[in-house]
Amino acid sequence: MFYLIAVTVLWAFSFSLIGEFLAGSVDSYFAVLTRIVLATLVFLPFLKPALLNPKQKAVLASLGAVQLGLMYIFFYHAFLYLTVPEVLLFTIFTPLYVAILNDALFKRFTPFYLLCALIATAGAAIIRFDGVTDNYWFGFAIVQGANLSFALGQVGYKKLTSTFEGQISYHNVFAWFYLGALVVALPAFFLFGNTSQLPQNTEQWGVLLWLGIVASGLGYYFWNQGALKVSGGTLAIMNNALIPAGLVVNLLLWQKDTDFSRLFFGGAIIAIALWMSHQYTKKLKQI
């Protein structure tokens, strides 16, 4: 749980940094490629190929291609059509995708976790639903592509690690995740990237370094490790904890207008959903 909370705080800064420094100025495909290359370089020195069989390597790389490669491409494009608060708003459905996909991959149905995810989604909607721009539907569709990619990667990683035999140091295999993302990001940049929109100043390069090494390199590793330690319901709800966190950061850094009463009320609903999921998981362990 600590990993998920820590990464939530870390990622809360990413929304604002992308929206303020990169969106519309730096080519999105280049930004995605840079983040993934830097993240790969963080874990490549630790890679021990012999720890996984060929199928496990392929699955882990595929998860990286989806959760990181495709998700980032969707995510960065969303900022071209939506404001930072709108992107945050449209991520509210991620917990539902996580809850549904988790049950599907593990061949079970846990309606209580789905209920908790719905409650968390309602809380997030209360925080951010205050009108949208003309690009609503297109932006919405792009963010849902990102949400589905992110959700599938999380639950797929939980499923994959359940097939590992013996004790495996996850940092010795996680480079496969980033290498898979690189397979998507590299050709995407060469096919669709705009070389006239490369970073133009030290601020933009600095943001990319932070996002690549810290937010992507360390963030995705520790988020996925945290996903292994909690129930599917708790994981689903934590996906929406980023919304109040992101709005608080957006307010503190850029003094954006925020309705504090709605932020508090919606955040409280998300916290209640998290508590319900945690209590239900504890009860199951006692049975």
Side-chain angles (χ1 to χ4, degrees), residues 28 40-41 55 90 99 105 146 165 170 174 229 234 251 270:
S28 59
T40 304
L41 293 176
K55 181 180 178 181
F90 295 150
L105 284 181
E165 296 180 0
Y170 294 114
F174 207 70
K229 302 177 185 297
T234 299
L251 170 69
I270 294 174

Side-chain angles (χ1 to χ4, degrees), residues 3-27:
Y3 287 162
L4 297 180
I5 294 173
V7 176
T8 295
V9 175
L10 175 66
W11 283 347
F13 288 88
S14 296
F15 282 92
S16 291
L17 291 174
I18 294 170
E20 295 293 331
F21 293 101
L22 303 181
S25 301
V26 177
D27 177 64

Side-chain angles (χ1 to χ4, degrees), residues 14-282:
S14 296
F15 282 92
S16 291
L17 291 174
I18 294 170
E20 295 293 331
F21 293 101
L22 303 181
S25 301
V26 177
D27 177 64
S28 59
Y29 292 102
F30 179 79
V32 170
L33 177 61
T34 303
R35 289 186 68 167
I36 294 173
V37 167
L38 290 171
T40 304
L41 293 176
V42 171
F43 281 89
L44 201 56
F46 303 104
L47 182 62
K48 294 183 179 179
L51 292 179
L52 300 182
N53 62 47
K55 181 180 178 181
Q56 290 171 329
K57 294 174 187 176
V59 172
L60 185 53
S62 298
L63 292 174
V66 173
Q67 187 180 356
L68 207 57
L70 286 179
M71 189 280 292
Y72 271 159
I73 290 174
F74 283 126
F75 184 65
Y76 273 80
H77 273 74
F79 285 97
L80 299 178
Y81 302 94
L82 304 169
T83 63
V84 171
E86 285 172 343
V87 173
L88 284 165
L89 165 64
F90 295 150
T91 64
I92 65 175
F93 298 99
T94 306
L96 299 179
Y97 301 146
V98 171
I100 293 169
L101 289 171
N102 189 73
D103 278 355
L105 284 181
F106 286 92
K107 297 180 180 179
R108 64 193 179 206
F109 178 59
T110 314
F112 189 81
Y113 286 153
L114 186 58
L115 172 63
C116 292
L118 281 168
I119 293 173
T121 301
I126 289 171
I127 293 172
R128 268 319 315 168
F129 197 82
D130 57 356
V132 291
T133 65
D134 293 338
N135 291 312
Y136 173 87
W137 290 114
F138 191 60
F140 177 84
I142 293 175
V143 177
Q144 296 322 299
N147 293 344
L148 280 166
S149 299
F150 188 52
L152 183 59
Q154 293 174 75
V155 296
Y157 187 71
K158 285 173 69 75
K159 179 67 174 180
L160 173 64
T161 55
S162 68
T163 69
F164 290 174
E165 296 180 0
Q167 294 292 325
I168 290 182
S169 298
Y170 294 114
H171 68 280
N172 292 136
V173 301
F174 207 70
W176 294 113
F177 179 86
Y178 295 110
L179 289 170
L182 201 57
V183 170
V184 173
L186 191 59
F189 171 68
F190 284 113
L191 289 172
F192 308 111
N194 183 357
T195 55
S196 66
Q197 281 192 310
L198 300 183
Q200 300 296 316
N201 54 58
T202 54
E203 284 184 340
Q204 291 173 339
W205 281 112
V207 168
L208 284 175
L209 283 171
W210 163 267
L211 293 174
I213 296 172
V214 182
S216 295
L218 300 180
Y220 274 88
Y221 173 74
F222 284 110
W223 180 271
N224 281 320
Q225 301 320 305
L228 302 179
K229 302 177 185 297
V230 299
S231 68
T234 299
L235 178 61
I237 295 162
M238 283 303 298
N239 275 266
N240 261 358
L242 184 60
I243 293 176
L247 287 170
V248 169
V249 169
N250 201 43
L251 170 69
L252 293 177
L253 291 182
W254 318 115
Q255 288 79 52
K256 302 292 185 182
D257 293 334
T258 299
D259 187 329
F260 285 100
S261 61
R262 290 169 61 178
L263 178 62
F264 176 80
F265 186 47
I269 291 176
I270 294 174
I272 290 171
L274 184 62
W275 177 81
M276 289 170 59
S277 173
H278 180 66
Q279 292 298 115
Y280 183 75
T281 302
K282 284 177 58 178

